[in-house]
Amino acid sequence: MTGAETPASSAARLLWPTAAWFWALQFAVLNPLLAVLLVTLLDSTPAQVGLILGAYNVGGFVASLVIPSAADRTGDYLRPLLACGICGVGMVLALAAAPSVTVALLALVLLGGPAGVGSTLLFAQLRHEGASPSRVIRTRAVVSFAWVVGPPLATACTGVLGGASTLWLLAGVGLVNVATAVLLLRRRRSTEPAPHAARPPMRAQLRGRGRWGVVVAFVALQVTNVATVTVATLFVTRELHAPIQWAGVVLGAAAILEIPALLLIGRFHARVPARSLILGACLVGAAYYALASVTRAPWQLVALQPLNAWFFATVAGVGLTVFQDVFPSPGLASGLFTNTRRVGAVLSGLLIAGLAVFPDPYRAVYGAAAVLVVLVLVGYATTVVSGRVTGRRGASRLRT
């Protein structure tokens, strides 16, 4: 029947959001509780926890560049995705059986690093299949929802059933990731394979001030989000003098509102250019951080969260599509965008430390974030205008 949806097509439509949900859920559960697991299961010292977390993040940084870039050479993102799923299960088993901190360190770096690339490969495969920016953003909304559910789910399991229960939960999620990777591979074999388009070498794609300007701009935007989220609890309790529960309300409101924001942005992206969405988001973000820096009551900060959600949803959703347009190789684009968050997290720590000299250091973080967003806004707007001027000059030369 024409226009009728078969069970097979319905299952295929559910496969992508299911895969995105469980890949995101794996690390939404693991990352908030990793330090707790190291202490409770292995009696790790604070120094050991810091060393392991640092090595784990470095391993993830390297893996998220190397693995997707290697997949770009063949145009095959699903077999590496399956390998990453197997690494995720292996990581959980190794942590459960680890007799020492050293074994846990090796498991997190050698297996956890590749396992963390799963979402990156999923988005690379979406781009490789020619998915629209709106579909990419809708899939990103699924990832955001997993990060809303993951941390409370992890803490509930640990609090009720103990740390070992979290490992069982992670093992189950890892097996689902392996299963979805297998199903995506079978689906690809049953359909006509997309041709592997010729793309410039990676070195050529990494050249150019314009491309690196995009990377620097999004690193700066990620810095603002990571820094303000990091100090939000301290800002509420130390400078707004409110109970800590208000911090949970603030962070929860931002996380929940991000999901409908992503869905709306996905609809707008079909009609509004990405550059316009980014410019608008920077205006919203600058307004949010500036207003947050002068709030005097926690309810005021809660009332501003729709602005925060719109700003970061645009950075996370439209930003990914911008990178996929700027860098032709889907794996490289997704890997670089993923690492803007990692680099932003490192730089946010330096920003927070540098602002410690101010009388109200946590309030100063919001003010500094507003300044950073304004700088990005000015730079981005200047680039857009200069691009249009250059285009007009080139057109006039062709006419003459």
Side-chain angles (χ1 to χ4, degrees), residues 140 144 218 221-226 229 254-255 258 261-262 265 281-282 284-285 288-289 305-319 337 340-341:
R140 180 61 179 77
S144 293
F218 277 90
L221 296 178
Q222 298 280 13
V223 167
T224 66
N225 177 258
V226 177
V229 168
E258 184 184 325
L262 277 163
I265 291 164
C282 287
V284 171
Y288 165 68
Y289 291 130
Q305 291 314 301
L307 299 179
N308 186 22
W310 186 267
F311 166 67
F312 187 67
T314 307
V315 171
V318 180
F337 183 74
T340 61
R341 183 73 177 177

PDB file of all heavy atoms in Angstrom, residues 140 144 218 221-226 229 254-255 258 261-262 265 281-282 284-285 288-289 305-319 337 340-341:
ATOM      1  N   ARG A 140      20.095  14.719  18.407  1.00  0.00           N
ATOM      2  CA  ARG A 140      20.832  15.326  19.525  1.00  0.00           C
ATOM      3  C   ARG A 140      19.912  15.563  20.719  1.00  0.00           C
ATOM      4  O   ARG A 140      20.349  15.499  21.875  1.00  0.00           O
ATOM      5  CB  ARG A 140      21.463  16.638  19.058  1.00  0.00           C
ATOM      6  CG  ARG A 140      22.263  17.384  20.125  1.00  0.00           C
ATOM      7  CD  ARG A 140      23.420  16.556  20.635  1.00  0.00           C
ATOM      8  NE  ARG A 140      24.199  17.263  21.640  1.00  0.00           N
ATOM      9  CZ  ARG A 140      23.852  17.428  22.914  1.00  0.00           C
ATOM     10  NH1 ARG A 140      22.707  16.924  23.341  1.00  0.00           N
ATOM     11  NH2 ARG A 140      24.633  18.073  23.755  1.00  0.00           N
ATOM     12  N   SER A 144      20.368  14.536  24.733  1.00  0.00           N
ATOM     13  CA  SER A 144      20.139  15.420  25.880  1.00  0.00           C
ATOM     14  C   SER A 144      19.190  14.781  26.887  1.00  0.00           C
ATOM     15  O   SER A 144      19.397  14.886  28.099  1.00  0.00           O
ATOM     16  CB  SER A 144      19.565  16.761  25.410  1.00  0.00           C
ATOM     17  OG  SER A 144      20.519  17.468  24.647  1.00  0.00           O
ATOM     18  N   PHE A 218      33.547  27.925  19.029  1.00  0.00           N
ATOM     19  CA  PHE A 218      32.727  26.962  19.760  1.00  0.00           C
ATOM     20  C   PHE A 218      33.409  26.482  21.032  1.00  0.00           C
ATOM     21  O   PHE A 218      32.727  26.157  22.005  1.00  0.00           O
ATOM     22  CB  PHE A 218      32.327  25.807  18.850  1.00  0.00           C
ATOM     23  CG  PHE A 218      31.125  26.128  18.004  1.00  0.00           C
ATOM     24  CD1 PHE A 218      31.274  26.711  16.757  1.00  0.00           C
ATOM     25  CD2 PHE A 218      29.861  25.894  18.477  1.00  0.00           C
ATOM     26  CE1 PHE A 218      30.173  27.042  15.991  1.00  0.00           C
ATOM     27  CE2 PHE A 218      28.744  26.216  17.727  1.00  0.00           C
ATOM     28  CZ  PHE A 218      28.896  26.797  16.471  1.00  0.00           C
ATOM     29  N   LEU A 221      32.399  29.136  23.445  1.00  0.00           N
ATOM     30  CA  LEU A 221      31.005  28.987  23.870  1.00  0.00           C
ATOM     31  C   LEU A 221      30.853  27.819  24.839  1.00  0.00           C
ATOM     32  O   LEU A 221      30.076  27.904  25.805  1.00  0.00           O
ATOM     33  CB  LEU A 221      30.104  28.792  22.651  1.00  0.00           C
ATOM     34  CG  LEU A 221      30.031  29.977  21.676  1.00  0.00           C
ATOM     35  CD1 LEU A 221      29.144  29.635  20.490  1.00  0.00           C
ATOM     36  CD2 LEU A 221      29.511  31.234  22.377  1.00  0.00           C
ATOM     37  N   GLN A 222      31.591  26.748  24.603  1.00  0.00           N
ATOM     38  CA  GLN A 222      31.548  25.618  25.543  1.00  0.00           C
ATOM     39  C   GLN A 222      32.139  26.011  26.893  1.00  0.00           C
ATOM     40  O   GLN A 222      31.652  25.580  27.945  1.00  0.00           O
ATOM     41  CB  GLN A 222      32.323  24.421  24.969  1.00  0.00           C
ATOM     42  CG  GLN A 222      31.773  23.857  23.682  1.00  0.00           C
ATOM     43  CD  GLN A 222      30.587  22.929  23.880  1.00  0.00           C
ATOM     44  OE1 GLN A 222      29.993  22.863  24.952  1.00  0.00           O
ATOM     45  NE2 GLN A 222      30.233  22.200  22.844  1.00  0.00           N
ATOM     46  N   VAL A 223      33.176  26.838  26.890  1.00  0.00           N
ATOM     47  CA  VAL A 223      33.772  27.308  28.147  1.00  0.00           C
ATOM     48  C   VAL A 223      32.716  27.993  28.999  1.00  0.00           C
ATOM     49  O   VAL A 223      32.620  27.772  30.214  1.00  0.00           O
ATOM     50  CB  VAL A 223      34.953  28.266  27.872  1.00  0.00           C
ATOM     51  CG1 VAL A 223      35.371  28.995  29.150  1.00  0.00           C
ATOM     52  CG2 VAL A 223      36.142  27.505  27.311  1.00  0.00           C
ATOM     53  N   THR A 224      31.900  28.842  28.367  1.00  0.00           N
ATOM     54  CA  THR A 224      30.905  29.585  29.147  1.00  0.00           C
ATOM     55  C   THR A 224      29.911  28.639  29.815  1.00  0.00           C
ATOM     56  O   THR A 224      29.550  28.819  30.978  1.00  0.00           O
ATOM     57  CB  THR A 224      30.144  30.585  28.259  1.00  0.00           C
ATOM     58  OG1 THR A 224      29.352  29.880  27.285  1.00  0.00           O
ATOM     59  CG2 THR A 224      31.104  31.519  27.546  1.00  0.00           C
ATOM     60  N   ASN A 225      29.476  27.613  29.090  1.00  0.00           N
ATOM     61  CA  ASN A 225      28.497  26.685  29.655  1.00  0.00           C
ATOM     62  C   ASN A 225      29.107  25.838  30.763  1.00  0.00           C
ATOM     63  O   ASN A 225      28.533  25.705  31.843  1.00  0.00           O
ATOM     64  CB  ASN A 225      27.927  25.796  28.552  1.00  0.00           C
ATOM     65  CG  ASN A 225      26.954  24.762  29.085  1.00  0.00           C
ATOM     66  OD1 ASN A 225      27.298  23.598  29.240  1.00  0.00           O
ATOM     67  ND2 ASN A 225      25.732  25.177  29.391  1.00  0.00           N
ATOM     68  N   VAL A 226      30.272  25.256  30.496  1.00  0.00           N
ATOM     69  CA  VAL A 226      30.893  24.382  31.497  1.00  0.00           C
ATOM     70  C   VAL A 226      31.218  25.169  32.767  1.00  0.00           C
ATOM     71  O   VAL A 226      30.972  24.705  33.891  1.00  0.00           O
ATOM     72  CB  VAL A 226      32.163  23.720  30.934  1.00  0.00           C
ATOM     73  CG1 VAL A 226      32.853  22.877  32.006  1.00  0.00           C
ATOM     74  CG2 VAL A 226      31.833  22.841  29.737  1.00  0.00           C
ATOM     75  N   VAL A 229      27.956  26.107  34.725  1.00  0.00           N
ATOM     76  CA  VAL A 229      27.357  24.908  35.328  1.00  0.00           C
ATOM     77  C   VAL A 229      28.194  24.448  36.523  1.00  0.00           C
ATOM     78  O   VAL A 229      27.663  24.052  37.567  1.00  0.00           O
ATOM     79  CB  VAL A 229      27.216  23.782  34.287  1.00  0.00           C
ATOM     80  CG1 VAL A 229      26.872  22.455  34.955  1.00  0.00           C
ATOM     81  CG2 VAL A 229      26.145  24.140  33.255  1.00  0.00           C
ATOM     82  N   ALA A 254      17.278  23.851  33.403  1.00  0.00           N
ATOM     83  CA  ALA A 254      18.052  24.049  32.170  1.00  0.00           C
ATOM     84  C   ALA A 254      18.113  22.764  31.359  1.00  0.00           C
ATOM     85  O   ALA A 254      17.955  22.785  30.132  1.00  0.00           O
ATOM     86  CB  ALA A 254      19.461  24.531  32.521  1.00  0.00           C
ATOM     87  N   ALA A 255      18.356  21.633  32.039  1.00  0.00           N
ATOM     88  CA  ALA A 255      18.484  20.357  31.330  1.00  0.00           C
ATOM     89  C   ALA A 255      17.165  19.945  30.682  1.00  0.00           C
ATOM     90  O   ALA A 255      17.133  19.481  29.536  1.00  0.00           O
ATOM     91  CB  ALA A 255      18.961  19.279  32.299  1.00  0.00           C
ATOM     92  N   GLU A 258      16.170  22.140  27.682  1.00  0.00           N
ATOM     93  CA  GLU A 258      17.032  21.975  26.510  1.00  0.00           C
ATOM     94  C   GLU A 258      16.401  21.045  25.474  1.00  0.00           C
ATOM     95  O   GLU A 258      16.603  21.228  24.267  1.00  0.00           O
ATOM     96  CB  GLU A 258      18.391  21.415  26.947  1.00  0.00           C
ATOM     97  CG  GLU A 258      19.396  21.293  25.816  1.00  0.00           C
ATOM     98  CD  GLU A 258      20.684  20.655  26.286  1.00  0.00           C
ATOM     99  OE1 GLU A 258      21.091  20.904  27.440  1.00  0.00           O
ATOM    100  OE2 GLU A 258      21.272  19.893  25.501  1.00  0.00           O
ATOM    101  N   ALA A 261      13.751  22.807  23.413  1.00  0.00           N
ATOM    102  CA  ALA A 261      14.487  23.823  22.643  1.00  0.00           C
ATOM    103  C   ALA A 261      15.141  23.190  21.414  1.00  0.00           C
ATOM    104  O   ALA A 261      15.084  23.744  20.308  1.00  0.00           O
ATOM    105  CB  ALA A 261      15.534  24.495  23.528  1.00  0.00           C
ATOM    106  N   LEU A 262      15.771  22.022  21.594  1.00  0.00           N
ATOM    107  CA  LEU A 262      16.397  21.337  20.463  1.00  0.00           C
ATOM    108  C   LEU A 262      15.365  20.955  19.405  1.00  0.00           C
ATOM    109  O   LEU A 262      15.620  21.084  18.194  1.00  0.00           O
ATOM    110  CB  LEU A 262      17.140  20.094  20.954  1.00  0.00           C
ATOM    111  CG  LEU A 262      18.548  20.322  21.507  1.00  0.00           C
ATOM    112  CD1 LEU A 262      19.003  19.124  22.327  1.00  0.00           C
ATOM    113  CD2 LEU A 262      19.527  20.597  20.370  1.00  0.00           C
ATOM    114  N   ILE A 265      14.410  24.086  17.553  1.00  0.00           N
ATOM    115  CA  ILE A 265      15.517  24.528  16.696  1.00  0.00           C
ATOM    116  C   ILE A 265      15.618  23.637  15.460  1.00  0.00           C
ATOM    117  O   ILE A 265      15.901  24.103  14.353  1.00  0.00           O
ATOM    118  CB  ILE A 265      16.841  24.525  17.493  1.00  0.00           C
ATOM    119  CG1 ILE A 265      16.805  25.632  18.550  1.00  0.00           C
ATOM    120  CG2 ILE A 265      18.041  24.707  16.576  1.00  0.00           C
ATOM    121  CD1 ILE A 265      17.858  25.490  19.614  1.00  0.00           C
ATOM    122  N   ALA A 281      21.422  32.868  18.903  1.00  0.00           N
ATOM    123  CA  ALA A 281      21.728  32.181  20.162  1.00  0.00           C
ATOM    124  C   ALA A 281      22.777  32.935  20.963  1.00  0.00           C
ATOM    125  O   ALA A 281      22.710  32.979  22.202  1.00  0.00           O
ATOM    126  CB  ALA A 281      22.213  30.758  19.877  1.00  0.00           C
ATOM    127  N   CYS A 282      23.745  33.532  20.284  1.00  0.00           N
ATOM    128  CA  CYS A 282      24.768  34.309  21.002  1.00  0.00           C
ATOM    129  C   CYS A 282      24.152  35.538  21.667  1.00  0.00           C
ATOM    130  O   CYS A 282      24.544  35.902  22.792  1.00  0.00           O
ATOM    131  CB  CYS A 282      25.892  34.713  20.048  1.00  0.00           C
ATOM    132  SG  CYS A 282      26.986  33.362  19.577  1.00  0.00           S
ATOM    133  N   VAL A 284      21.090  35.695  22.766  1.00  0.00           N
ATOM    134  CA  VAL A 284      20.350  35.140  23.909  1.00  0.00           C
ATOM    135  C   VAL A 284      21.313  34.758  25.021  1.00  0.00           C
ATOM    136  O   VAL A 284      21.069  35.041  26.210  1.00  0.00           O
ATOM    137  CB  VAL A 284      19.515  33.928  23.461  1.00  0.00           C
ATOM    138  CG1 VAL A 284      18.923  33.196  24.666  1.00  0.00           C
ATOM    139  CG2 VAL A 284      18.398  34.374  22.520  1.00  0.00           C
ATOM    140  N   GLY A 285      22.427  34.109  24.652  1.00  0.00           N
ATOM    141  CA  GLY A 285      23.401  33.684  25.654  1.00  0.00           C
ATOM    142  C   GLY A 285      24.036  34.856  26.383  1.00  0.00           C
ATOM    143  O   GLY A 285      24.198  34.823  27.612  1.00  0.00           O
ATOM    144  N   TYR A 288      21.541  36.144  28.797  1.00  0.00           N
ATOM    145  CA  TYR A 288      21.385  35.264  29.957  1.00  0.00           C
ATOM    146  C   TYR A 288      22.517  35.454  30.961  1.00  0.00           C
ATOM    147  O   TYR A 288      22.271  35.658  32.159  1.00  0.00           O
ATOM    148  CB  TYR A 288      21.335  33.800  29.513  1.00  0.00           C
ATOM    149  CG  TYR A 288      21.537  32.847  30.673  1.00  0.00           C
ATOM    150  CD1 TYR A 288      20.578  32.731  31.679  1.00  0.00           C
ATOM    151  CD2 TYR A 288      22.697  32.083  30.787  1.00  0.00           C
ATOM    152  CE1 TYR A 288      20.765  31.893  32.761  1.00  0.00           C
ATOM    153  CE2 TYR A 288      22.895  31.236  31.862  1.00  0.00           C
ATOM    154  CZ  TYR A 288      21.929  31.148  32.848  1.00  0.00           C
ATOM    155  OH  TYR A 288      22.126  30.331  33.924  1.00  0.00           O
ATOM    156  N   TYR A 289      23.751  35.388  30.491  1.00  0.00           N
ATOM    157  CA  TYR A 289      24.887  35.486  31.417  1.00  0.00           C
ATOM    158  C   TYR A 289      24.950  36.861  32.075  1.00  0.00           C
ATOM    159  O   TYR A 289      25.261  36.973  33.273  1.00  0.00           O
ATOM    160  CB  TYR A 289      26.190  35.190  30.685  1.00  0.00           C
ATOM    161  CG  TYR A 289      26.333  33.754  30.264  1.00  0.00           C
ATOM    162  CD1 TYR A 289      26.680  33.419  28.956  1.00  0.00           C
ATOM    163  CD2 TYR A 289      26.121  32.717  31.164  1.00  0.00           C
ATOM    164  CE1 TYR A 289      26.819  32.092  28.565  1.00  0.00           C
ATOM    165  CE2 TYR A 289      26.251  31.393  30.787  1.00  0.00           C
ATOM    166  CZ  TYR A 289      26.598  31.089  29.485  1.00  0.00           C
ATOM    167  OH  TYR A 289      26.734  29.774  29.099  1.00  0.00           O
ATOM    168  N   GLN A 305      16.336  30.486  32.985  1.00  0.00           N
ATOM    169  CA  GLN A 305      16.797  29.231  32.383  1.00  0.00           C
ATOM    170  C   GLN A 305      16.278  28.975  30.968  1.00  0.00           C
ATOM    171  O   GLN A 305      16.966  28.296  30.197  1.00  0.00           O
ATOM    172  CB  GLN A 305      16.494  28.056  33.309  1.00  0.00           C
ATOM    173  CG  GLN A 305      17.311  28.041  34.588  1.00  0.00           C
ATOM    174  CD  GLN A 305      18.782  28.316  34.337  1.00  0.00           C
ATOM    175  OE1 GLN A 305      19.450  27.594  33.587  1.00  0.00           O
ATOM    176  NE2 GLN A 305      19.295  29.377  34.958  1.00  0.00           N
ATOM    177  N   PRO A 306      15.097  29.461  30.567  1.00  0.00           N
ATOM    178  CA  PRO A 306      14.730  29.303  29.154  1.00  0.00           C
ATOM    179  C   PRO A 306      15.756  29.929  28.204  1.00  0.00           C
ATOM    180  O   PRO A 306      16.027  29.383  27.131  1.00  0.00           O
ATOM    181  CB  PRO A 306      13.371  30.011  29.061  1.00  0.00           C
ATOM    182  CG  PRO A 306      12.789  29.853  30.428  1.00  0.00           C
ATOM    183  CD  PRO A 306      13.955  29.977  31.370  1.00  0.00           C
ATOM    184  N   LEU A 307      16.332  31.077  28.604  1.00  0.00           N
ATOM    185  CA  LEU A 307      17.387  31.682  27.781  1.00  0.00           C
ATOM    186  C   LEU A 307      18.614  30.780  27.727  1.00  0.00           C
ATOM    187  O   LEU A 307      19.208  30.571  26.658  1.00  0.00           O
ATOM    188  CB  LEU A 307      17.773  33.052  28.346  1.00  0.00           C
ATOM    189  CG  LEU A 307      16.690  34.125  28.415  1.00  0.00           C
ATOM    190  CD1 LEU A 307      17.251  35.398  29.030  1.00  0.00           C
ATOM    191  CD2 LEU A 307      16.126  34.403  27.030  1.00  0.00           C
ATOM    192  N   ASN A 308      18.998  30.256  28.877  1.00  0.00           N
ATOM    193  CA  ASN A 308      20.153  29.362  28.948  1.00  0.00           C
ATOM    194  C   ASN A 308      19.924  28.122  28.096  1.00  0.00           C
ATOM    195  O   ASN A 308      20.811  27.685  27.345  1.00  0.00           O
ATOM    196  CB  ASN A 308      20.392  28.963  30.406  1.00  0.00           C
ATOM    197  CG  ASN A 308      21.648  28.146  30.596  1.00  0.00           C
ATOM    198  OD1 ASN A 308      22.559  28.181  29.776  1.00  0.00           O
ATOM    199  ND2 ASN A 308      21.706  27.400  31.678  1.00  0.00           N
ATOM    200  N   ALA A 309      18.724  27.537  28.183  1.00  0.00           N
ATOM    201  CA  ALA A 309      18.421  26.324  27.426  1.00  0.00           C
ATOM    202  C   ALA A 309      18.469  26.589  25.921  1.00  0.00           C
ATOM    203  O   ALA A 309      19.004  25.790  25.152  1.00  0.00           O
ATOM    204  CB  ALA A 309      17.046  25.785  27.827  1.00  0.00           C
ATOM    205  N   TRP A 310      17.918  27.718  25.493  1.00  0.00           N
ATOM    206  CA  TRP A 310      17.925  28.028  24.056  1.00  0.00           C
ATOM    207  C   TRP A 310      19.351  28.236  23.566  1.00  0.00           C
ATOM    208  O   TRP A 310      19.725  27.745  22.488  1.00  0.00           O
ATOM    209  CB  TRP A 310      17.083  29.266  23.779  1.00  0.00           C
ATOM    210  CG  TRP A 310      16.941  29.524  22.305  1.00  0.00           C
ATOM    211  CD1 TRP A 310      17.706  30.320  21.521  1.00  0.00           C
ATOM    212  CD2 TRP A 310      15.962  28.930  21.443  1.00  0.00           C
ATOM    213  NE1 TRP A 310      17.292  30.277  20.224  1.00  0.00           N
ATOM    214  CE2 TRP A 310      16.216  29.429  20.146  1.00  0.00           C
ATOM    215  CE3 TRP A 310      14.906  28.044  21.645  1.00  0.00           C
ATOM    216  CZ2 TRP A 310      15.436  29.051  19.042  1.00  0.00           C
ATOM    217  CZ3 TRP A 310      14.128  27.670  20.553  1.00  0.00           C
ATOM    218  CH2 TRP A 310      14.404  28.180  19.271  1.00  0.00           C
ATOM    219  N   PHE A 311      20.135  28.951  24.342  1.00  0.00           N
ATOM    220  CA  PHE A 311      21.519  29.211  23.953  1.00  0.00           C
ATOM    221  C   PHE A 311      22.297  27.911  23.794  1.00  0.00           C
ATOM    222  O   PHE A 311      22.890  27.640  22.744  1.00  0.00           O
ATOM    223  CB  PHE A 311      22.192  30.106  25.000  1.00  0.00           C
ATOM    224  CG  PHE A 311      23.687  30.163  24.896  1.00  0.00           C
ATOM    225  CD1 PHE A 311      24.308  30.753  23.806  1.00  0.00           C
ATOM    226  CD2 PHE A 311      24.494  29.617  25.892  1.00  0.00           C
ATOM    227  CE1 PHE A 311      25.690  30.804  23.703  1.00  0.00           C
ATOM    228  CE2 PHE A 311      25.873  29.666  25.804  1.00  0.00           C
ATOM    229  CZ  PHE A 311      26.470  30.262  24.704  1.00  0.00           C
ATOM    230  N   PHE A 312      22.281  27.067  24.829  1.00  0.00           N
ATOM    231  CA  PHE A 312      23.121  25.882  24.756  1.00  0.00           C
ATOM    232  C   PHE A 312      22.551  24.841  23.800  1.00  0.00           C
ATOM    233  O   PHE A 312      23.308  24.106  23.162  1.00  0.00           O
ATOM    234  CB  PHE A 312      23.336  25.252  26.134  1.00  0.00           C
ATOM    235  CG  PHE A 312      24.341  24.141  26.073  1.00  0.00           C
ATOM    236  CD1 PHE A 312      25.672  24.409  25.797  1.00  0.00           C
ATOM    237  CD2 PHE A 312      23.942  22.823  26.239  1.00  0.00           C
ATOM    238  CE1 PHE A 312      26.606  23.386  25.703  1.00  0.00           C
ATOM    239  CE2 PHE A 312      24.864  21.791  26.151  1.00  0.00           C
ATOM    240  CZ  PHE A 312      26.201  22.077  25.881  1.00  0.00           C
ATOM    241  N   ALA A 313      21.229  24.763  23.655  1.00  0.00           N
ATOM    242  CA  ALA A 313      20.657  23.835  22.682  1.00  0.00           C
ATOM    243  C   ALA A 313      21.111  24.193  21.269  1.00  0.00           C
ATOM    244  O   ALA A 313      21.401  23.308  20.455  1.00  0.00           O
ATOM    245  CB  ALA A 313      19.127  23.858  22.772  1.00  0.00           C
ATOM    246  N   THR A 314      21.208  25.482  20.976  1.00  0.00           N
ATOM    247  CA  THR A 314      21.678  25.902  19.659  1.00  0.00           C
ATOM    248  C   THR A 314      23.150  25.573  19.484  1.00  0.00           C
ATOM    249  O   THR A 314      23.576  25.088  18.426  1.00  0.00           O
ATOM    250  CB  THR A 314      21.451  27.410  19.456  1.00  0.00           C
ATOM    251  OG1 THR A 314      20.089  27.726  19.731  1.00  0.00           O
ATOM    252  CG2 THR A 314      21.791  27.826  18.037  1.00  0.00           C
ATOM    253  N   VAL A 315      23.952  25.831  20.513  1.00  0.00           N
ATOM    254  CA  VAL A 315      25.381  25.503  20.438  1.00  0.00           C
ATOM    255  C   VAL A 315      25.568  24.007  20.209  1.00  0.00           C
ATOM    256  O   VAL A 315      26.357  23.578  19.362  1.00  0.00           O
ATOM    257  CB  VAL A 315      26.107  25.952  21.723  1.00  0.00           C
ATOM    258  CG1 VAL A 315      27.538  25.419  21.751  1.00  0.00           C
ATOM    259  CG2 VAL A 315      26.111  27.471  21.828  1.00  0.00           C
ATOM    260  N   ALA A 316      24.827  23.177  20.957  1.00  0.00           N
ATOM    261  CA  ALA A 316      24.995  21.730  20.876  1.00  0.00           C
ATOM    262  C   ALA A 316      24.404  21.142  19.606  1.00  0.00           C
ATOM    263  O   ALA A 316      24.981  20.224  19.022  1.00  0.00           O
ATOM    264  CB  ALA A 316      24.356  21.072  22.096  1.00  0.00           C
ATOM    265  N   GLY A 317      23.258  21.644  19.181  1.00  0.00           N
ATOM    266  CA  GLY A 317      22.578  21.073  18.027  1.00  0.00           C
ATOM    267  C   GLY A 317      23.040  21.665  16.706  1.00  0.00           C
ATOM    268  O   GLY A 317      23.562  20.961  15.833  1.00  0.00           O
ATOM    269  N   VAL A 318      22.886  22.964  16.545  1.00  0.00           N
ATOM    270  CA  VAL A 318      23.292  23.623  15.300  1.00  0.00           C
ATOM    271  C   VAL A 318      24.813  23.586  15.160  1.00  0.00           C
ATOM    272  O   VAL A 318      25.340  23.466  14.054  1.00  0.00           O
ATOM    273  CB  VAL A 318      22.764  25.068  15.253  1.00  0.00           C
ATOM    274  CG1 VAL A 318      23.184  25.750  13.952  1.00  0.00           C
ATOM    275  CG2 VAL A 318      21.249  25.083  15.383  1.00  0.00           C
ATOM    276  N   GLY A 319      25.527  23.681  16.292  1.00  0.00           N
ATOM    277  CA  GLY A 319      26.985  23.630  16.233  1.00  0.00           C
ATOM    278  C   GLY A 319      27.488  22.379  15.557  1.00  0.00           C
ATOM    279  O   GLY A 319      28.426  22.418  14.741  1.00  0.00           O
ATOM    280  N   PHE A 337      34.011  18.436  16.966  1.00  0.00           N
ATOM    281  CA  PHE A 337      32.963  19.099  17.745  1.00  0.00           C
ATOM    282  C   PHE A 337      32.877  18.500  19.150  1.00  0.00           C
ATOM    283  O   PHE A 337      32.709  19.232  20.135  1.00  0.00           O
ATOM    284  CB  PHE A 337      31.610  18.985  17.041  1.00  0.00           C
ATOM    285  CG  PHE A 337      30.522  19.716  17.775  1.00  0.00           C
ATOM    286  CD1 PHE A 337      30.471  21.099  17.747  1.00  0.00           C
ATOM    287  CD2 PHE A 337      29.573  19.033  18.510  1.00  0.00           C
ATOM    288  CE1 PHE A 337      29.491  21.795  18.433  1.00  0.00           C
ATOM    289  CE2 PHE A 337      28.582  19.715  19.200  1.00  0.00           C
ATOM    290  CZ  PHE A 337      28.537  21.097  19.163  1.00  0.00           C
ATOM    291  N   THR A 340      35.493  20.026  21.332  1.00  0.00           N
ATOM    292  CA  THR A 340      35.339  21.412  21.789  1.00  0.00           C
ATOM    293  C   THR A 340      34.820  21.418  23.226  1.00  0.00           C
ATOM    294  O   THR A 340      35.169  22.303  24.014  1.00  0.00           O
ATOM    295  CB  THR A 340      34.373  22.215  20.899  1.00  0.00           C
ATOM    296  OG1 THR A 340      33.066  21.617  20.924  1.00  0.00           O
ATOM    297  CG2 THR A 340      34.890  22.290  19.473  1.00  0.00           C
ATOM    298  N   ARG A 341      34.005  20.421  23.570  1.00  0.00           N
ATOM    299  CA  ARG A 341      33.492  20.319  24.942  1.00  0.00           C
ATOM    300  C   ARG A 341      34.612  19.941  25.904  1.00  0.00           C
ATOM    301  O   ARG A 341      34.713  20.492  27.008  1.00  0.00           O
ATOM    302  CB  ARG A 341      32.382  19.275  24.991  1.00  0.00           C
ATOM    303  CG  ARG A 341      31.693  19.122  26.358  1.00  0.00           C
ATOM    304  CD  ARG A 341      30.808  20.294  26.643  1.00  0.00           C
ATOM    305  NE  ARG A 341      30.073  20.159  27.891  1.00  0.00           N
ATOM    306  CZ  ARG A 341      29.269  21.091  28.377  1.00  0.00           C
ATOM    307  NH1 ARG A 341      29.081  22.210  27.722  1.00  0.00           N
ATOM    308  NH2 ARG A 341      28.644  20.911  29.533  1.00  0.00           N
TER     309      ARG A 341
END
